[in-house]
Amino acid sequence: AGSPVTLRNKPSARELWNSTISKLTDPVDPAFVRRFAEGWLSLPVPPAFFEAMVQESLKVPAHVWKAATASLLAEDHSAELDKIKALTLIIWGDQDAFTKSDQEVLTAAIAGSRFVVYPGAGHSPHWEEPERFASDLAALIETVAIVAKALPSRQARTPAG
């Protein structure tokens, strides 16, 4: 959902690293976590759910925030995207300006991928439209099951690669 191809070309990600994430210490500031989570939303989510997500995020130590973000800033797997052979569902909220251009790149590079736009949603459509997201994901899983049943049994057990 709302995946960037890489963060290397995202100045806002580098700025967030430089200004905030690289400087995090334990315990991580709840105000930062709340702003970070709110920044990805365009549609309202139930307050109790949002608060639960903030509380779960507060369990993540500063070194994990730093390591995860540093890794995301360093990695670029765009040259590997055409090697993905699995059925792929790309879900994007049309208010997610952070990953807007990436969705077309992903869809073009991953053969047979399906691109679904959630109007009004931001970077977290799985939070903003959980029923629709679950339905779309269940449909993908059903398709995978149908395809797997159609394959000879030996192929169905062979890892993709």
Side-chain angles (χ1 to χ4, degrees), residues 1 23 32 35 39 42 54 59 92 100 117 127 130 136 149 159:
K23 298 173 184 172
F32 160 74
R35 283 190 315 272
S42 290
V54 168
K59 295 176 184 177
W92 174 68
K100 183 175 184 174
V117 177
W127 288 11
D136 287 340
K149 285 180 184 178

Side-chain angles (χ1 to χ4, degrees), residues 65-147:
W65 281 89
K66 291 176 184 180
T69 304
S71 177
L72 289 170
L73 288 167
E75 298 296 327
D76 182 354
H77 299 286
S78 57
E80 307 292 320
L81 293 173
D82 64 344
K83 295 179 181 168
I84 297 173
K85 303 302 178 203
L87 293 175
T88 304
L89 177 61
I90 300 167
I91 296 175
W92 174 68
D94 71 355
Q95 298 304 301
D96 180 7
F98 185 69
T99 64
K100 183 175 184 174
S101 62
D102 297 284
Q103 306 319 294
E104 294 167 358
V105 172
L106 291 169
T107 303
I110 303 171
S113 61
R114 183 172 159 239
F115 180 49
V116 178
V117 177
Y118 284 34
H123 187 68
S124 300
H126 54 296
W127 288 11
E128 296 166 290
E129 293 197 47
E131 294 85 8
R132 180 177 179 196
F133 189 90
S135 177
D136 287 340
L137 185 56
L140 174 70
I141 293 167
E142 184 177 322
T143 302
V144 169
I146 291 168
V147 169

Side-chain angles (χ1 to χ4, degrees), residues 5-82:
V5 174
T6 180
L7 292 184
R8 285 185 180 176
N9 63 350
K10 303 277 188 225
S12 60
R14 179 62 62 189
E15 171 55 29
L16 181 61
W17 168 260
N18 291 335
S19 68
T20 307
I21 295 178
S22 68
K23 298 173 184 172
L24 288 177
T25 59
D26 290 320
V28 174
D29 181 4
F32 160 74
V33 171
R34 188 171 306 286
R35 283 190 315 272
F36 185 83
E38 287 171 344
W40 298 118
L41 300 174
S42 290
L43 297 174
V45 298
F49 170 80
F50 183 78
E51 190 56 35
M53 294 299 97
V54 168
Q55 292 306 311
E56 288 301 309
S57 296
L58 285 169
K59 295 176 184 177
V60 179
H63 75 91
V64 174
W65 281 89
K66 291 176 184 180
T69 304
S71 177
L72 289 170
L73 288 167
E75 298 296 327
D76 182 354
H77 299 286
S78 57
E80 307 292 320
L81 293 173
D82 64 344

